[in-house]
Every structure is written in structure tokens, then in C-alpha cells.
Amino acid sequence: MTGSRPEVPVSYCAACDAMVHRPFRPGPDGRPGATCPRCGGLERHRFLSLLLGTLAPRLRDLDLVVEIAPSKQSTHLLERLGARRRISLDAGYDAREVDALASIDRLPLRDGSVDLLVCYHVLEHVPDDGAAMREVARVLSPRGIALLEVPIRVGVATEEDLGCSPEECKRRFGQRDHVRWYGDDFDDRLSAAGLSSVRVTPPALLGEAAVRWFRLMPHEVVWIAGPGRGTAAPMVAGATASGLTAALDALLAELAHVQDGFERARARGDRLAATRDALRARLEEVTPRRRHRVITRLQRLTRL
């Protein structure tokens, strides 16, 4: 017997390059639809993959790529860039595997040696984040790019307290080992450390339709930084569509049309299967002689 099939929206996980037909699991904080059931990637990993793809023209012929506090998903994405050298660093407060133990405020790297540095959700842990930002500026090559992500509250200044207890840190900053929650002045902090930057969000870069399709977090903010000072105007969602946004919108609209046709065909198939099962059940109720006549009539109808 056929039964109703659960409706699971099809999505694409950019972190593992696969169509996903299963429900996405909750994230570490319980937020729904965050974790890919195939690779375990979160929204930030999927956006990182798309961001690296967008920056591809600037990421050719990379010599050294550095990742601070790596994850399995982000490491896989950076490996695909084909850099001649790739180094992962962490301070060693947990059991993650890295190439070297080092703090971001004292990087064991030469001046101007890094072409790409990825630092996600690290600076909010560091007591002297100014020193960490200056280290990032120091090690970036003249064409180098740093991708930075921190928790931020829009419309307020950075709030920090280096002396509060772990319980108070969790209450005020969201986690026991966080010492601040960044605000609108984060860009100014980067500039003071010698980094020019621009804010990028998924809707601004890709469009609203792509945010839903790729299962991204609309309010996620990533800073693209390089050597220098100053802050470029952030990419704003809803502004004049870029070529990428327009292409994605058109592609996803066509995909939605194709998927709608597929769903209608599947629903028709389910109805035909239900009719078939009902006829089979009725056939079982008749006598063998009548069943033979019914089968003969069905065969004639099939030939027609």
C-alpha cells in the first residue's frame, strides 16, 4: 500500500557540494534547520564556501593560507583552493587538530607572508583583540585577504569586560569564554589596527532567494579585510542587484518552476497508485471466476 510522503524542501549544501533531500538538523544552540545532515556544516560554513567562490578571481595562485581555530568543514573548503601551503593554528584550549599551537595576538608568521587568513568566532575570546587585529594586519601580504567573523549587535557600541566571571560572561556575552560582544565600532577597531574592511551579508551578496535555497543565516556578517585603513560602505541587501544576484534569482526561479512540475507529477503518480491499490483490494473480494473475468477485461483495457 502507498502512503503519503513527507514533504522535505530540497536544499543545496555548499559546504559539501550536494543536494540535500533530508531535513536539516538544529544547530548547537537549538536554532532550527542549521546543520546539514550530510556533512554537519552550519550556515557559516555554507556562506564561507559561497564567499570563497565569489572571491575566486582574487584567490588564484595562493602561496600561504592560514586558518585560526579551524573546523572540519572550513578546512575542507580551504583545501580546495589549492594553495602551496596551508597552516591551521589554535591556542590549544580544546582538542581540535591543528598544525601549530599559537595565539592570534602572537602569530608565528613572517611579515607580509599570508595571502588568505580565515578567523571565525575567535576575537571575542581574546583579551587584547587590538593586538590580534594588528597581528592579522602584519602577516597579510600586500594582496592578502582576511575573512573575519565575530558576534555583533547592530546599533550599539562594543561591550566588553575582561574581569567578569564565566557565569557573568555567559549572561552578558552569550558564552562563558567570551569577553565582549561587538557593536558598530568593530570596523573602526579594524581600521585602527591597520585593516581596511567591508561588511558582507548573505542577502546582500546573493539575494533573498539564494539565502533560503542555500540555508543561510540572513543576519550573518563577514568582514573582508586587507592591509590599509578605512571602512568601505557595507554591501546592503535590497540594493541594485549585482550580476551574481540576478543570475541566482533567475536560476532559482527556474528551479522552483521545474520542482513544482515534478511535485505535480509525483502527486498524480500517487493518485494513480492509490487507484491501483483500491482496484486490487476490490479484486481480492470477488470470486475466482469473476476475478478471471475482471482480469480479462483489465487486460483488454490495457491493450486499448
Side-chain angles (χ1 to χ4, degrees):
M1 296 292 290
T2 60
S4 60
R5 308 178 193 182
E7 295 295 329
V8 178
V10 179
S11 300
Y12 178 81
C13 177
C16 58
D17 280 337
M19 300 287 288
V20 181
H21 298 264
R22 289 178 284 163
F24 277 53
R25 300 192 301 268
D29 59 355
R31 64 183 183 277
T35 306
C36 173
R38 294 187 76 258
C39 69
L42 299 171
E43 301 96 336
R44 63 175 176 266
H45 303 126
R46 296 190 283 277
F47 187 42
L48 174 61
S49 175
L50 296 165
L51 192 55
L52 291 173
T54 304
L55 293 171
R58 296 181 60 183
L59 300 178
R60 295 174 180 152
D61 192 33
L62 296 175
D63 182 32
L64 177 59
V65 170
V66 173
E67 184 178 14
I68 311 296
S71 68
K72 178 182 70 173
Q73 293 81 8
S74 56
T75 296
H76 171 69
L77 296 173
L78 296 178
E79 286 174 345
R80 297 190 312 195
L81 296 176
R84 285 182 282 277
R85 294 179 296 158
R86 187 183 57 80
I87 298 174
S88 59
L89 304 172
D90 191 66
Y93 295 125
D94 53 32
R96 74 181 73 204
E97 294 184 5
V98 293
D99 297 311
L101 296 178
S103 175
I104 189 173
D105 56 2
R106 292 186 301 277
L107 292 173
L109 301 167
R110 297 194 312 272
D111 294 0
S113 60
V114 179
D115 293 324
L116 175 64
L117 184 143
V118 177
C119 177
Y120 275 27
H121 292 280
V122 173
L123 292 173
E124 64 271 19
H125 299 263
V126 181
D128 190 353
D129 65 333
M133 295 175 189
R134 289 190 294 273
E135 279 290 271
V136 172
R138 177 185 68 80
V139 302
L140 282 182
S141 70
R143 71 182 187 103
I145 297 174
L147 300 180
L148 310 172
E149 185 170 272
V150 297
I152 185 170
R153 287 171 171 161
V154 178
V156 297
T158 296
E159 179 188 1
E160 63 183 345
D161 188 341
L162 305 184
C164 64
S165 67
E167 292 74 19
E168 184 69 5
C169 286
K170 183 176 182 179
R171 185 186 69 81
R172 292 174 59 188
F173 308 128
Q175 199 165 302
R176 291 169 60 89
D177 53 352
H178 287 190
V179 296
R180 67 181 58 83
W181 207 311
Y182 286 102
D184 291 339
D185 56 338
F186 181 66
D187 306 79
D188 296 332
R189 289 178 176 233
L190 293 175
S191 181
L195 292 167
S196 61
S197 63
V198 59
R199 297 188 187 194
V200 181
T201 65
L205 182 67
L206 304 169
E208 299 289 348
V211 169
R212 294 187 295 270
W213 171 250
F214 291 115
R215 294 295 186 97
L216 304 178
M217 190 180 294
H219 55 271
E220 180 179 1
V221 183
V222 173
W223 283 260
I224 303 176
R229 295 181 185 273
T231 302
M235 297 182 67
V236 179
T240 302
S242 66
L244 175 62
T245 302
L248 281 172
D249 286 345
L251 178 63
L252 292 174
E254 178 62 22
L255 181 61
H257 177 72
V258 172
Q259 187 172 353
D260 182 61
F262 172 76
E263 293 298 331
R264 289 198 303 270
R266 189 175 73 168
R268 182 173 180 273
D270 287 343
R271 290 194 301 271
L272 290 173
T275 302
R276 178 202 62 199
D277 292 342
L279 288 173
R280 283 178 175 173
R282 290 182 58 188
L283 187 58
E284 292 296 328
E285 298 173 357
V286 302
T287 62
R289 187 172 180 180
R290 290 182 60 194
R291 187 185 309 165
H292 175 74
R293 290 200 299 269
V294 171
I295 291 175
T296 301
R297 292 176 61 188
L298 286 174
Q299 288 173 340
R300 290 174 180 171
L301 287 172
T302 302
R303 286 197 293 270
L304 292 175

